[in-house]
Amino acid sequence: MAKFDSTLDRCFSALGDPTRRMILQRLTRGEASVSELAEPHDMALPSFMGHLRKLEDAGLVTSAKQGRTRICALTPDAFTPARDWLREQSDIWEGRLDRLDDYVTTLMKERRE
Amino acid sequence: MAKFDSTLDRCFSALGDPTRRMILQRLTRGEASVSELAEPHDMALPSFMGHLRKLEDAGLVTSAKQGRTRICALTPDAFTPARDWLREQSDIWEGRLDRLDDYVTTLMKERRE
């Protein structure tokens, strides 16, 4: 549980930055070298590498050296823990609203009778 | 776009903390006073209020005074922007894998013929 919690901490925190989300959006379309990924960002390379490291620490991105180039890829099922957590909360919330809806409907029916 | 981006920044950042996720998990089950929400957390009230403020800033939680009590509630559709972003990325990623799968299948079929 603690491990899963810390995965969610790192995953959601990593997603809370527009540069990092742009990197992920690029990688959903296929793997890319660090320099390809950095190109659209007006940012010093060490800062950019810091963002990449946060994505790797969060388990969202993997990277490997191919010759002199480092190639990055989206981790398979990268978004699953975050999506599962959000879906679970939404399901509970919507279930509660449905029950409230049923209750109000029953109440109104009883009043009419 | 900038506004939506900053909504996502604040939303994902707010979700990246276990105390804040616990508050949200409690509120999916129904509204609660600040003291009810704070009760399970071994934390000074000012720190706890800081977490609540981050959730309000992110648009995930609303609160209102009822007499001397402040009542908090989950914002309707609180998780929609985050869920939409994650679903969009997963759809692109899975679409890419499906196309890769089709390509490999076609290639193997051609080899056999």
Side-chain angles (χ1 to χ4, degrees):
Chain A
M1 185 64 185
K3 192 185 176 305
F4 185 64
D5 258 22
S6 99
T7 303
L8 283 178
D9 288 357
R10 277 179 277 134
C11 175
F12 280 127
S13 300
L15 291 167
D17 176 275
T19 302
R20 293 196 289 267
R21 285 198 307 279
M22 263 188 76
I23 297 172
L24 293 169
Q25 283 172 302
R26 169 61 190 82
L27 291 177
T28 53
R29 285 159 177 84
E31 51 183 42
S33 68
V34 170
S35 50
E36 279 176 83
L37 287 176
E39 204 271 327
H41 302 277
D42 186 20
M43 193 178 288
L45 194 63
S47 309
F48 186 77
M49 294 306 288
H51 284 303
L52 266 187
R53 203 161 38 243
K54 278 217 170 107
L55 291 168
E56 288 201 66
D57 289 346
L60 295 167
V61 165
T62 51
S63 77
K65 276 249 174 194
Q66 289 186 9
R68 295 179 60 185
T69 314
R70 179 164 289 277
I71 302 291
C72 300
L74 197 71
T75 310
D77 301 319
F79 301 125
T80 304
R83 289 189 73 182
D84 285 352
W85 189 88
L86 288 166
R87 191 182 48 233
E88 200 183 307
Q89 303 320 310
S90 300
D91 286 352
I92 296 166
W93 169 258
E94 279 152 25
R96 208 186 122 240
L97 292 189
D98 286 348
R99 283 194 302 280
L100 191 68
D101 205 36
D102 290 349
Y103 176 71
V104 172
T105 309
T106 310
L107 217 66
M108 285 173 74
K109 216 174 139 191
E110 283 174 4
R111 280 202 147 190
R112 275 201 302 273
E113 279 164 6
Chain B
M1 184 65 185
K3 193 184 177 305
F4 185 64
D5 257 23
S6 99
T7 303
L8 282 179
D9 288 357
R10 277 179 278 133
C11 176
F12 280 128
S13 299
L15 291 168
D17 177 275
T19 301
R20 293 196 290 268
R21 285 198 307 279
M22 263 187 76
I23 297 171
L24 293 169
Q25 281 171 305
R26 168 62 190 81
L27 292 176
T28 53
R29 285 160 177 85
E31 53 182 40
S33 68
V34 171
S35 49
E36 279 176 84
L37 287 176
E39 204 270 328
H41 300 277
D42 186 20
M43 193 179 288
L45 194 63
S47 308
F48 186 78
M49 294 306 288
H51 284 304
L52 266 186
R53 201 160 41 243
K54 278 219 170 107
L55 290 167
E56 288 201 65
D57 289 347
L60 296 168
V61 165
T62 51
S63 76
K65 277 250 173 195
Q66 289 186 11
R68 295 178 61 185
T69 314
R70 179 164 288 277
I71 302 290
C72 301
L74 197 72
T75 310
D77 301 320
F79 301 124
T80 304
R83 290 189 74 182
D84 285 353
W85 190 88
L86 288 167
R87 192 182 45 233
E88 200 182 307
Q89 303 320 311
S90 299
D91 286 352
I92 296 167
W93 169 257
E94 280 153 24
R96 208 187 124 239
L97 292 189
D98 286 348
R99 284 194 302 280
L100 191 66
D101 204 36
D102 290 349
Y103 176 69
V104 172
T105 309
T106 311
L107 218 65
M108 285 173 74
K109 216 174 140 189
E110 281 175 5
R111 280 201 148 192
R112 275 200 303 271
E113 279 164 5

